[in-house]
Amino acid sequence: MLVLDMMNKDVKTIEPDNTVQEAAAKMSKHSIGSLIVIKNGSLQGIVTERDIMTKLVSKALDSSKTMVSQIMTKAVVMISPGRDVEDAAEVMVERGIKKLPVLKGDKLIGIVTSMDIVIAQPKMMEQMAALFLMPKGKKAVAG
């Protein structure tokens, strides 16, 4: 199965000059854990619940005054739609991430998450379990 066949095409995005409070409200409204950060149609980063917790809340910053650009993860790991879902799962495990934006050329066309893979590919459940049960010494990378 290809990433294209299982990705979510309804990607929720935000601009880097929006506040973290706006980002959190949008995540809450859509019951999601991340937003892709886009400026002028170009992917700039990703902001996750973890980014908010570790870069804003833990430092007692004001979410209504802090911009998404100040806390987002800029080094985003991406995947192309023609790659196999097993490749996506492998990338997630290797990089310690749970979300992969899907790009065709420079255009964002979808997102695939670890839960999408688990639901679509029950046989890969064991492989993805490694991501959720990652040893504490291994540092996860947002994305």
PDB file of all heavy atoms in Angstrom, residues 118-134:
ATOM      1  N   VAL A 118      -1.331   2.270  11.807  1.00  0.00           N
ATOM      2  CA  VAL A 118      -1.807   1.180  12.670  1.00  0.00           C
ATOM      3  C   VAL A 118      -3.210   0.750  12.255  1.00  0.00           C
ATOM      4  O   VAL A 118      -3.509  -0.441  12.170  1.00  0.00           O
ATOM      5  CB  VAL A 118      -1.770   1.601  14.156  1.00  0.00           C
ATOM      6  CG1 VAL A 118      -2.509   0.600  15.027  1.00  0.00           C
ATOM      7  CG2 VAL A 118      -0.325   1.740  14.624  1.00  0.00           C
ATOM      8  N   ILE A 119      -4.057   1.711  11.948  1.00  0.00           N
ATOM      9  CA  ILE A 119      -5.433   1.398  11.553  1.00  0.00           C
ATOM     10  C   ILE A 119      -5.465   0.701  10.187  1.00  0.00           C
ATOM     11  O   ILE A 119      -6.184  -0.270   9.991  1.00  0.00           O
ATOM     12  CB  ILE A 119      -6.300   2.676  11.541  1.00  0.00           C
ATOM     13  CG1 ILE A 119      -6.504   3.145  12.982  1.00  0.00           C
ATOM     14  CG2 ILE A 119      -7.631   2.444  10.841  1.00  0.00           C
ATOM     15  CD1 ILE A 119      -7.043   4.556  13.103  1.00  0.00           C
ATOM     16  N   ALA A 120      -4.666   1.189   9.245  1.00  0.00           N
ATOM     17  CA  ALA A 120      -4.675   0.645   7.892  1.00  0.00           C
ATOM     18  C   ALA A 120      -3.882  -0.650   7.763  1.00  0.00           C
ATOM     19  O   ALA A 120      -4.180  -1.475   6.908  1.00  0.00           O
ATOM     20  CB  ALA A 120      -4.129   1.681   6.916  1.00  0.00           C
ATOM     21  N   GLN A 121      -2.910  -0.819   8.590  1.00  0.00           N
ATOM     22  CA  GLN A 121      -2.016  -1.963   8.473  1.00  0.00           C
ATOM     23  C   GLN A 121      -1.829  -2.653   9.824  1.00  0.00           C
ATOM     24  O   GLN A 121      -0.778  -2.512  10.457  1.00  0.00           O
ATOM     25  CB  GLN A 121      -0.643  -1.499   7.959  1.00  0.00           C
ATOM     26  CG  GLN A 121      -0.654  -0.856   6.618  1.00  0.00           C
ATOM     27  CD  GLN A 121      -0.732  -1.887   5.500  1.00  0.00           C
ATOM     28  OE1 GLN A 121      -0.541  -3.078   5.714  1.00  0.00           O
ATOM     29  NE2 GLN A 121      -1.022  -1.449   4.306  1.00  0.00           N
ATOM     30  N   PRO A 122      -2.814  -3.416  10.274  1.00  0.00           N
ATOM     31  CA  PRO A 122      -2.690  -4.059  11.587  1.00  0.00           C
ATOM     32  C   PRO A 122      -1.423  -4.895  11.739  1.00  0.00           C
ATOM     33  O   PRO A 122      -0.866  -4.979  12.823  1.00  0.00           O
ATOM     34  CB  PRO A 122      -3.944  -4.935  11.681  1.00  0.00           C
ATOM     35  CG  PRO A 122      -4.908  -4.333  10.734  1.00  0.00           C
ATOM     36  CD  PRO A 122      -4.087  -3.698   9.638  1.00  0.00           C
ATOM     37  N   LYS A 123      -0.927  -5.471  10.641  1.00  0.00           N
ATOM     38  CA  LYS A 123       0.286  -6.282  10.736  1.00  0.00           C
ATOM     39  C   LYS A 123       1.509  -5.443  11.106  1.00  0.00           C
ATOM     40  O   LYS A 123       2.517  -5.960  11.566  1.00  0.00           O
ATOM     41  CB  LYS A 123       0.534  -7.030   9.430  1.00  0.00           C
ATOM     42  CG  LYS A 123       0.847  -6.117   8.273  1.00  0.00           C
ATOM     43  CD  LYS A 123       1.003  -6.873   6.991  1.00  0.00           C
ATOM     44  CE  LYS A 123       1.285  -5.866   5.882  1.00  0.00           C
ATOM     45  NZ  LYS A 123       1.265  -6.379   4.588  1.00  0.00           N
ATOM     46  N   MET A 124       1.416  -4.116  10.946  1.00  0.00           N
ATOM     47  CA  MET A 124       2.541  -3.253  11.282  1.00  0.00           C
ATOM     48  C   MET A 124       2.457  -2.752  12.722  1.00  0.00           C
ATOM     49  O   MET A 124       3.285  -1.983  13.162  1.00  0.00           O
ATOM     50  CB  MET A 124       2.591  -2.067  10.315  1.00  0.00           C
ATOM     51  CG  MET A 124       2.882  -2.510   8.894  1.00  0.00           C
ATOM     52  SD  MET A 124       2.830  -1.153   7.733  1.00  0.00           S
ATOM     53  CE  MET A 124       4.238  -0.237   8.263  1.00  0.00           C
ATOM     54  N   MET A 125       1.451  -3.205  13.456  1.00  0.00           N
ATOM     55  CA  MET A 125       1.240  -2.764  14.824  1.00  0.00           C
ATOM     56  C   MET A 125       2.493  -2.980  15.676  1.00  0.00           C
ATOM     57  O   MET A 125       2.877  -2.107  16.439  1.00  0.00           O
ATOM     58  CB  MET A 125       0.053  -3.501  15.445  1.00  0.00           C
ATOM     59  CG  MET A 125      -0.321  -2.983  16.787  1.00  0.00           C
ATOM     60  SD  MET A 125      -1.676  -1.843  16.763  1.00  0.00           S
ATOM     61  CE  MET A 125      -3.086  -2.856  16.705  1.00  0.00           C
ATOM     62  N   GLU A 126       3.133  -4.099  15.525  1.00  0.00           N
ATOM     63  CA  GLU A 126       4.323  -4.389  16.324  1.00  0.00           C
ATOM     64  C   GLU A 126       5.440  -3.395  16.010  1.00  0.00           C
ATOM     65  O   GLU A 126       6.115  -2.900  16.910  1.00  0.00           O
ATOM     66  CB  GLU A 126       4.803  -5.818  16.066  1.00  0.00           C
ATOM     67  CG  GLU A 126       5.941  -6.237  16.964  1.00  0.00           C
ATOM     68  CD  GLU A 126       6.315  -7.688  16.763  1.00  0.00           C
ATOM     69  OE1 GLU A 126       5.423  -8.541  16.693  1.00  0.00           O
ATOM     70  OE2 GLU A 126       7.522  -7.954  16.670  1.00  0.00           O
ATOM     71  N   GLN A 127       5.610  -3.079  14.741  1.00  0.00           N
ATOM     72  CA  GLN A 127       6.647  -2.130  14.350  1.00  0.00           C
ATOM     73  C   GLN A 127       6.366  -0.753  14.946  1.00  0.00           C
ATOM     74  O   GLN A 127       7.258  -0.095  15.464  1.00  0.00           O
ATOM     75  CB  GLN A 127       6.721  -2.046  12.822  1.00  0.00           C
ATOM     76  CG  GLN A 127       7.866  -1.185  12.329  1.00  0.00           C
ATOM     77  CD  GLN A 127       7.955  -1.176  10.816  1.00  0.00           C
ATOM     78  OE1 GLN A 127       7.109  -1.717  10.121  1.00  0.00           O
ATOM     79  NE2 GLN A 127       8.989  -0.532  10.304  1.00  0.00           N
ATOM     80  N   MET A 128       5.129  -0.306  14.893  1.00  0.00           N
ATOM     81  CA  MET A 128       4.787   1.003  15.422  1.00  0.00           C
ATOM     82  C   MET A 128       4.825   1.012  16.953  1.00  0.00           C
ATOM     83  O   MET A 128       5.051   2.050  17.556  1.00  0.00           O
ATOM     84  CB  MET A 128       3.407   1.453  14.933  1.00  0.00           C
ATOM     85  CG  MET A 128       3.355   1.671  13.418  1.00  0.00           C
ATOM     86  SD  MET A 128       4.675   2.717  12.765  1.00  0.00           S
ATOM     87  CE  MET A 128       4.209   4.281  13.448  1.00  0.00           C
ATOM     88  N   ALA A 129       4.616  -0.140  17.572  1.00  0.00           N
ATOM     89  CA  ALA A 129       4.687  -0.214  19.036  1.00  0.00           C
ATOM     90  C   ALA A 129       6.062   0.231  19.514  1.00  0.00           C
ATOM     91  O   ALA A 129       6.194   0.827  20.580  1.00  0.00           O
ATOM     92  CB  ALA A 129       4.379  -1.628  19.518  1.00  0.00           C
ATOM     93  N   ALA A 130       7.078  -0.018  18.697  1.00  0.00           N
ATOM     94  CA  ALA A 130       8.433   0.403  19.053  1.00  0.00           C
ATOM     95  C   ALA A 130       8.499   1.921  19.209  1.00  0.00           C
ATOM     96  O   ALA A 130       9.229   2.434  20.052  1.00  0.00           O
ATOM     97  CB  ALA A 130       9.432  -0.056  17.988  1.00  0.00           C
ATOM     98  N   LEU A 131       7.720   2.639  18.428  1.00  0.00           N
ATOM     99  CA  LEU A 131       7.703   4.099  18.506  1.00  0.00           C
ATOM    100  C   LEU A 131       7.065   4.558  19.813  1.00  0.00           C
ATOM    101  O   LEU A 131       7.563   5.438  20.493  1.00  0.00           O
ATOM    102  CB  LEU A 131       6.937   4.677  17.316  1.00  0.00           C
ATOM    103  CG  LEU A 131       6.765   6.193  17.271  1.00  0.00           C
ATOM    104  CD1 LEU A 131       8.127   6.885  17.237  1.00  0.00           C
ATOM    105  CD2 LEU A 131       5.964   6.572  16.038  1.00  0.00           C
ATOM    106  N   PHE A 132       5.956   3.939  20.172  1.00  0.00           N
ATOM    107  CA  PHE A 132       5.245   4.352  21.383  1.00  0.00           C
ATOM    108  C   PHE A 132       5.946   3.882  22.651  1.00  0.00           C
ATOM    109  O   PHE A 132       5.779   4.468  23.705  1.00  0.00           O
ATOM    110  CB  PHE A 132       3.799   3.842  21.360  1.00  0.00           C
ATOM    111  CG  PHE A 132       2.981   4.516  20.307  1.00  0.00           C
ATOM    112  CD1 PHE A 132       2.664   3.862  19.129  1.00  0.00           C
ATOM    113  CD2 PHE A 132       2.547   5.815  20.482  1.00  0.00           C
ATOM    114  CE1 PHE A 132       1.919   4.489  18.149  1.00  0.00           C
ATOM    115  CE2 PHE A 132       1.797   6.452  19.501  1.00  0.00           C
ATOM    116  CZ  PHE A 132       1.488   5.786  18.334  1.00  0.00           C
ATOM    117  N   LEU A 133       6.726   2.837  22.550  1.00  0.00           N
ATOM    118  CA  LEU A 133       7.406   2.287  23.704  1.00  0.00           C
ATOM    119  C   LEU A 133       8.896   2.575  23.660  1.00  0.00           C
ATOM    120  O   LEU A 133       9.708   1.831  24.185  1.00  0.00           O
ATOM    121  CB  LEU A 133       7.161   0.775  23.791  1.00  0.00           C
ATOM    122  CG  LEU A 133       5.699   0.346  23.854  1.00  0.00           C
ATOM    123  CD1 LEU A 133       5.572  -1.155  23.748  1.00  0.00           C
ATOM    124  CD2 LEU A 133       5.039   0.870  25.105  1.00  0.00           C
ATOM    125  N   MET A 134       9.257   3.683  23.015  1.00  0.00           N
ATOM    126  CA  MET A 134      10.643   4.067  22.837  1.00  0.00           C
ATOM    127  C   MET A 134      11.346   4.186  24.192  1.00  0.00           C
ATOM    128  O   MET A 134      10.800   4.763  25.110  1.00  0.00           O
ATOM    129  CB  MET A 134      10.708   5.410  22.113  1.00  0.00           C
ATOM    130  CG  MET A 134      12.081   5.801  21.657  1.00  0.00           C
ATOM    131  SD  MET A 134      12.057   7.378  20.776  1.00  0.00           S
ATOM    132  CE  MET A 134      10.828   7.094  19.536  1.00  0.00           C
TER     133      MET A 134
END
